[in-house]
Amino acid sequence: MEKKKILIIDDEEDFCQMMEFNLEDSGKYEVRMETKGKKALAAAKEFKPALIFLDIVMPDIPGDEVAQQLRSDEMTKDIPVVFLTALVRGNEVASQDGIIGGNPFIAKPVSIEKLIDCIEKNTRN
Amino acid sequence: MNKLLQRQIKKFTRGSDSLHEEIKPLLYGISDAYDSFDIDRSLIERSLDLSSKELTDANKRLRQEAEKHKAIIDKLKSILTSLAPDLNHFSKESSKDDATYFINFISKLIDERKNTEKALKNAYKKLKDTQNELIQVEKLKVIGRLASGVSHEVKNPLAMILLGVQYLRKKIKSKDRKVVLTLKHMEKAIERADKIIKGLLDFASLSKLDIKQENLNSIVEESLRLVKIQFDKNCIRVETDLKENIPKVKIDKNKIEQVFINIFMNSSHAMHDGGQLTVRTYSKKLKKPGKDGDRRQNDLFKPGETMVISEIADTGPGIPKNILDKIFDPFFTTTRDKGGTGLGLSIVRNIIQMHYGKIEIKNNAKGGIKSTLFFKV
Ligand SMILES: Nc1ncnc2c1ncn2[C@@H]1O[C@H](COP(=O)(O)OP(=O)(O)OP(=O)(O)O)[C@@H](O)[C@H]1O
Ligand SMILES: [Mg+2]
């Protein structure tokens, strides 16, 4: 079975690495990480992932702007984007997978089971 | 020479200007006396003139004051007569007895003054309350900014630690009980820290309410739907008695939903071996104060005002008397070992207060607790 390519865009390098370790350990995914929001579009064009995890709060450029760039580029517009956010209130995560601006989001901290569940829900096999 | 003296000498000498040289010094002496008298007289006249002016002024003032007094007395009299018809009657009766009338008049004046004082005090209290509310809102805004900052800074490391612990759990694959427990406790600790941050964010979001006219019944139903899985797991039956004709209430739907969810979750924890939850809604018009037991709500709800009330009762163990006054304190919890943060009820109370409503939690006579929520229409 071919491994799904997952791109993680998050300025927290340690967190990216933990996601990478866990996802690659499952044997089902090939992971690449990018800690600079500004390089996200280029990385997506080159890597051609099946799904992108995108942090909303990043120092150089906000995640929703990156999402806008991805949506308006012919090469990346169809790649599903899942937001990662540390700013979700208790009642907003009553149903853990909510929607922000048309994109699904995941609240940090998140378990590996939920991450995998989310990937499988948002990508085709 | 003094002009008056000159004229008098002319008259005396029949028009002759010639004066005997010997009496000249004497005449000049007299002239001086005449002059100084003139000065004195003008001084006296001036002072007389002044005092008369002062007198008329003073008179005018007195007259004006008297008129003012009369107006005040007339006003007071009209207040007196409007105070009570029997007083009016009394004042006519007692006109024969001026002393009694006067005493009554004065005592009424004192009453009037007391009432004014009371009204002033009330106005002052209201002002202070408003001020306190504003301070509270300001505080919440500051907490809000702080909380989202803290949330971001804490949740990111938590996210990293959680995935790290999960990775280790998979890699270590140890059967050692201590290793397994250690990893489990670490995950639980992360969950707890996360829950506290969520609670803080909930607290923080209280400064901005999105108030609309809402039907409380549908909010109750939606909240029940959201806790259904939890209730099923604990075998909790739900009974509702939601009156259809209750008026709409001005509330923030999401926040009030959170109020119900927090209360429902508390009952769910309290009845982990099963039980029954009863939710009622109804409206009630407050009677005049003093006639019924609603007096204690007078501060928030005025007599004649309609309130919408929701009662939530469970059949759990109830709340021990000695902690009943602590349950609304932030971080007070008896369920820390099961992941409780103690923020649930303090958030509930804050939300209700932001809506100018009221919450009461009491032990039921038959066991369990009953929470009563009062909403303004
Ligand atoms: N229905 C209930 N029955 C018995 N005790 C209750 C009930 N509701 C609340 N309490 C008591 O009040 C305390 C405070 O409640 P609160 O909701 O603030 O915190 P918590 O439920 O312990 O924590 P959290 O809300 O974070 O899960 C509880 O720990 C419990 O002791
Ligand atoms: Mg609670």
Side-chain angles (χ1 to χ4, degrees), chain A residues 17 28 38 51 58 62 70-71 78-79 92 94-95 97:
Chain A
Q17 204 159 54
K28 295 195 279 184
K38 280 186 176 142
L51 182 136
M58 288 186 291
L70 290 166
R71 249 197 310 275
D78 294 323
I79 304 171
E92 282 171 350
S95 55
D97 20 48

Side-chain angles (χ1 to χ4, degrees), chain B residues 262 265-266 269 344-345:
Chain B
N262 285 7
M265 290 306 282
N266 282 352
H269 288 136
L345 285 181

Side-chain angles (χ1 to χ4, degrees), chain B residues 195 262 266-267 269-270 314 317-319 323 327 329 332-335 339-346 369:
Chain B
K195 224 184 134 188
N262 285 7
N266 282 352
S267 291
H269 288 136
D314 66 32
I319 301 171
I323 65 162
I327 55 172
D329 293 351
F332 175 82
T333 177
T334 56
T335 63
T341 64
L343 284 174
L345 285 181
S346 63
I369 68 157

Side-chain angles (χ1 to χ4, degrees), chain A residues 10-12 14-16 18-23 25-26 55 57-58 85-96 107-113 115-116, chain B residues 147-149 151-153 155-171 187 190 194 197-199 201-202 205 208 226 254-255 258 261:
Chain A
D10 192 321
D11 62 302
E12 301 266 338
D14 296 354
F15 175 72
C16 286
M18 280 307 120
M19 273 183 83
E20 186 188 341
F21 286 179
N22 276 287
L23 288 176
D25 202 58
S26 72
D55 187 18
V57 184
M58 288 186 291
T85 172
L87 288 171
V88 182
R89 283 192 286 279
N91 54 344
E92 282 171 350
V93 265
S95 55
Q96 184 82 22
K108 288 183 192 174
V110 55
S111 68
I112 185 65
E113 291 82 15
L115 279 174
I116 291 177
Chain B
S148 27
S151 169
H152 187 251
E153 293 314 308
K155 281 195 178 203
N156 275 316
L158 283 182
M160 191 258 129
I161 298 170
L162 180 62
L163 288 183
V165 169
Q166 293 196 318
Y167 184 71
L168 285 180
R169 198 178 52 194
K170 229 192 275 164
K171 283 286 145 177
E187 256 187 71
I190 295 163
D194 180 40
I197 298 291
K198 270 179 203 151
L201 278 175
D202 284 339
S205 67
K208 27 186 189 318
L226 287 170
N254 286 323
K255 301 279 188 305
Q258 206 194 339
I261 290 172

Side-chain angles (χ1 to χ4, degrees), chain A residues 63-117:
Chain A
D64 50 347
E65 219 165 283
V66 174
Q68 189 58 46
Q69 289 176 4
L70 290 166
R71 249 197 310 275
S72 45
D73 194 295
E74 211 31 59
M75 273 179 78
T76 53
K77 71 177 184 1
D78 294 323
I79 304 171
V81 171
V82 176
F83 282 121
L84 291 168
T85 172
L87 288 171
V88 182
R89 283 192 286 279
N91 54 344
E92 282 171 350
V93 265
S95 55
Q96 184 82 22
D97 20 48
I99 303 279
I100 295 178
N103 290 75
F105 74 85
I106 277 186
K108 288 183 192 174
V110 55
S111 68
I112 185 65
E113 291 82 15
K114 264 192 189 125
L115 279 174
I116 291 177
D117 193 50

